[in-house]
């Protein structure tokens, strides 16, 4: 594929890039809506990546070309671009400048095969890819954890989503073969093998989703209110599940999801049985649907179809919810067949799904 290669950059800007880098999307296996509660998450990187190439352009403004959109925008650091996709790159440039980097006007080429708007962190891949490229071009002293932290800051300050650090840490540090067990408070982490003979299947429900406009920020505020009422800094600090019973609804159910989800992540990371791991994923979906209320009828139908297959150990919605994709832990040899059968069943109920992982 030529996209993101020097040829693609040169065909837009007329010269070869001086730096290039890439970063993957991610799928979260367990630990949903736990990161902004200082909890635990368990993502894997996916094969799809965002590629970023840069060159000093000697002009007064920045020029940014997005290959997937076929769109070019220009902006300066003083005047933010109006286009949403450009605000991620702009945000990264500003947070790097705040770190002390002196950033000259650049030509920037972005291309990506990370599916957008389905919960696979296309925005984190763009942010981490941009910061990696900037690190290379300007020899900036930032390690991969710092890159994830700056990428999260760019997302919060310039894209308007009060996200946790799951996506950016996963894009910066995860691997496609093993899951990354991450403590989002201390950022301590280790890789965890998937149960033997299993592989990951991700299917888009076709139900569109919009993070900033959805209830994401509202859920986060509910968790903060629950923690305040319980007298703890964050829900991570609540010792026993029984403690949340005193909370008013819906805070009781929101907090219960966070506590039980943290426990599921730690259990899954310690287990080697595919059945046990899968059962934890199924329980996570039920909790996201009933306690956290971020599922949709389409996601529920897709998850039920996946869970009904004998080759599937467990399935759940993945990412923030409110639409987007589902993830299943499957017998590795049955991946394609399960994908096809489930899409057929989903179509019969009026859904329009698509297998995203494994990619084409
Ligand atoms: C989005 C956010 C993450 C995380 C997930 C839900 O992907 O960006 O920080 O909160 O939702 O687990």
């Amino acid at each position: 594929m030529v996209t993101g290669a020097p040829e693609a950059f040169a065909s837009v800007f007329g010269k070869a890039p001086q730096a290039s880098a890439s970063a993957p999307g991610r799928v979260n296996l367990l630990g949903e809506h736990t990161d902004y509660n200082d909890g635990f998450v368990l993502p894997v990187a996916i094969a799809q990546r965002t590629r970023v190439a840069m060159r000093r352009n000697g002009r007064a403004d920045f020029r940014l070309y997005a290959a997937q959109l076929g769109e070019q925008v220009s902006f300066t650091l003083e005047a933010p671009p109006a286009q949403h996709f450009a605000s991620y790159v702009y945000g990264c440039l500003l947070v790097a400048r705040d770190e002390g980097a002196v950033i000259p006007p650049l030509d920037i080429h972005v291309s990506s095969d990370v599916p957008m708007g389905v919960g696979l962190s296309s925005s984190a891949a763009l942010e981490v890819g941009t910061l990696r490229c900037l690190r290379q071009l300007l020899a900036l002293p930032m390690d991969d954890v710092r890159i994830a932290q700056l990428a999260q800051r760019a997302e919060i300050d310039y894209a308007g989503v009060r996200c946790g650090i799951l996506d950016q840490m996963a894009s910066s540090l995860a691997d496609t073969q093993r899951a990354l067990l991450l403590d989002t408070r201390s950022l301590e982490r280790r890789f965890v093998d998937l149960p033997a003979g299993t592989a990951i299947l991700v299917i888009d429900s076709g139900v569109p989703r919009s993070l900033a406009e959805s209830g994401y920020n509202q859920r986060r505020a509910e968790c903060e209110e629950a923690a305040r009422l319980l007298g703890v800094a964050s829900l991570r600090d609540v010792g026993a599940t029984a403690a949340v019973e005193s909370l008013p609804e819906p805070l009781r159910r929101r907090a219960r999801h966070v506590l039980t989800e943290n426990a599921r992540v730690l259990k899954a990371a310690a287990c080697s049985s595919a059945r046990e791991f899968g059962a934890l994923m199924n329980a996570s979906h039920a909790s996201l649907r009933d306690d956290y209320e971020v599922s949709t009828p389409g996601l529920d139908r897709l998850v039920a179809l996946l869970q009904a297959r004998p080759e599937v150990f467990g399935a759940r919605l993945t990412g923030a919810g409110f639409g987007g994709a589902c993830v299943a832990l499957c017998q590795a040899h049955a991946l394609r067949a399960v994908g096809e059968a489930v899409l057929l069943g989903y179509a019969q109920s009026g859904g329009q799904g698509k297998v995203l992982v494994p990619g084409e």
Side-chain angles (χ1 to χ4, degrees):
M1 203 205 294
V2 186
T3 17
E7 295 83 353
F9 185 98
S11 73
V12 175
F13 295 115
K15 286 181 178 165
Q18 292 166 329
S20 64
S22 72
R26 66 98 187 94
V27 57
N28 194 21
L29 301 183
L30 271 174
E32 222 63 87
H33 292 280
T34 49
D35 62 350
Y36 52 82
N37 292 296
D38 282 351
F40 300 94
V41 294
L42 197 60
V44 290
I46 59 174
Q48 291 96 326
R49 304 180 76 85
T50 296
R51 295 170 175 78
V52 182
M54 295 177 177
R55 182 182 180 92
R56 291 176 184 81
N57 64 15
R59 295 163 55 97
D61 60 349
F62 289 73
R63 297 188 298 186
L64 167 63
Y65 181 77
Q68 269 57 43
L69 307 173
E71 213 179 305
Q72 183 169 315
V73 302
S74 53
F75 58 88
T76 64
L77 294 185
E78 288 65 47
Q83 294 82 349
H84 190 63
F85 79 91
S87 61
Y88 296 103
V89 174
Y90 175 78
C92 289
L93 297 172
L94 285 208
V95 293
R97 188 181 67 173
D98 290 348
E99 284 287 284
V102 177
I103 303 177
L106 302 168
D107 285 340
I108 306 172
H109 184 284
V110 172
S111 70
S112 179
D113 59 358
V114 181
M116 286 191 266
V118 292
L120 297 183
S121 293
S122 57
S123 58
L126 175 54
E127 291 149 2
V128 171
T130 300
L131 287 164
R132 279 183 176 169
C133 196
L134 214 51
R135 171 172 70 185
Q136 198 197 319
L137 181 75
L138 304 175
L140 301 178
M142 308 188 286
D143 66 12
D144 292 340
V145 170
R146 192 70 197 134
I147 283 204
Q149 290 169 324
L150 294 179
Q152 180 199 20
R153 178 113 316 277
E155 175 109 15
I156 294 174
D157 289 353
Y158 299 97
V161 180
R162 292 188 62 216
C163 63
I165 201 159
L166 158 64
D167 306 346
Q168 292 78 11
M169 280 295 281
S171 182
S172 190
L173 288 134
D175 146 336
T176 54
Q177 300 305 312
R178 300 162 300 165
L180 181 73
L181 171 65
L182 171 70
D183 177 338
T184 63
R185 172 175 273 173
S186 65
L187 300 187
E188 267 174 51
R189 61 205 174 270
R190 69 182 165 83
F191 284 107
V192 172
D193 287 331
L194 293 179
T198 65
I200 302 298
L201 178 67
V202 178
I203 301 187
D204 177 24
S205 68
V207 180
R209 180 204 70 137
S210 165
L211 255 191
E213 285 154 24
S214 69
Y216 185 88
N217 288 344
Q218 185 200 347
R219 290 293 180 283
R220 184 168 180 156
E222 287 170 347
C223 289
E224 284 164 359
E225 177 62 3
R228 195 186 64 77
L229 291 173
L230 293 170
V232 289
S234 80
L235 291 177
R236 158 74 175 274
D237 300 316
V238 180
T241 324
V244 307
E245 295 303 323
S246 63
L247 290 170
E249 291 292 8
L251 303 189
R252 183 181 73 91
R253 280 177 297 131
R254 305 290 188 258
R256 188 169 62 187
H257 165 74
V258 173
L259 266 63
T260 57
E261 186 77 350
N262 276 331
R264 282 187 285 272
V265 173
L266 296 178
K267 252 196 184 161
C271 89
S272 55
S273 145
R275 295 256 158 245
E276 202 184 322
F277 197 114
L280 292 162
M281 293 173 77
N282 293 343
S284 169
H285 185 76
S287 179
L288 287 161
R289 180 191 61 211
D290 303 334
D291 278 352
Y292 221 64
E293 296 182 287
V294 292
S295 192
T296 67
L299 284 169
D300 291 342
R301 273 202 330 273
L302 196 51
V303 165
L305 286 164
L306 284 162
Q307 290 174 346
R309 300 291 310 185
E311 312 90 334
V312 170
F313 300 105
R316 54 182 286 274
L317 72 84
T318 187
F322 306 101
C326 301
V327 60
L329 186 72
C330 246
Q331 287 176 359
H333 65 84
L335 222 47
R336 302 256 173 211
V338 169
E340 281 168 23
V342 165
L343 283 186
L344 205 64
Y346 190 53
Q348 279 160 4
S349 73
Q352 273 209 321
K354 186 174 181 222
V355 173
L356 301 176
V357 175
E360 285 144 28

